Amino acid sequence: MSRLRLFLLFGIPLTIIGGGVALFFLNPSEHSFFPKCALYMATGFSCPGCGSTRALYQLTHGDVLEAMRLNPGLMALITLGITDYVRFVVSVIRGNPFQTLFGRLKLLGALMGVMLVYGVIRNLPWPLFESLAP
């Protein structure tokens, strides 16, 4: 088995677990060394990624609903990523070639379009949309 496949099979999950352990113990709301959103700092508008670190912190504590409230787009990307990783592992076990979901231009275009629309909608000043801000 190639080094790349070994890294993909074991390195990525270990990196994610390490990051999850760090986020479990370090609340982004209480520690200032976590990166701040440049768009929010400059304009006061939330980008589609705003709230991601806090959402991941909530996810490590099992609060899926709060993580979903903070950044539903991140939760969708995590679901897609886990699905793609499971497909990769199954293809390695079966010896089949693997084609990632994220290599499909239609999916990438749809994801970018949804993120753009979500980024605009979450900044609208009406009560229905204000709840989308982290």
Side-chain angles (χ1 to χ4, degrees):
M1 190 176 299
S2 73
R3 286 184 178 189
L4 175 62
R5 284 191 180 223
L6 284 173
F7 172 73
L8 292 173
L9 282 172
F10 301 108
I12 290 177
L14 289 174
T15 302
I16 291 171
I17 290 169
V21 168
L23 264 177
F24 183 83
F25 291 106
L26 301 170
N27 186 346
S29 299
E30 297 172 0
H31 298 284
S32 62
F33 58 82
F34 285 99
K36 306 290 185 243
C37 176
L39 180 70
Y40 184 78
M41 299 280 290
T43 65
F45 291 115
S46 298
C47 76
C50 279
S52 295
T53 310
R54 287 174 282 153
L56 289 171
Y57 173 79
Q58 294 300 328
L59 200 57
T60 63
H61 286 84
D63 194 348
V64 177
L65 292 177
E66 181 63 11
M68 188 71 145
R69 186 195 71 74
L70 286 166
N71 198 316
L74 175 70
M75 300 304 289
L77 285 175
I78 287 173
T79 304
L80 276 173
I82 290 171
T83 302
D84 208 33
Y85 184 75
V86 169
R87 290 177 62 246
F88 170 72
V89 171
V90 169
S91 73
V92 167
I93 291 170
R94 292 182 179 169
N96 297 336
F98 174 69
Q99 200 170 31
T100 179
L101 293 172
F102 295 101
R104 299 184 179 161
L105 289 178
K106 288 183 181 180
L107 177 64
L108 287 177
L111 285 173
M112 291 176 69
V114 167
M115 287 176 64
L116 181 64
V117 169
Y118 173 65
V120 171
I121 288 175
R122 80 186 313 198
N123 288 293
L124 293 175
W126 302 305
L128 176 66
F129 303 115
E130 286 177 345
S131 64
L132 293 175

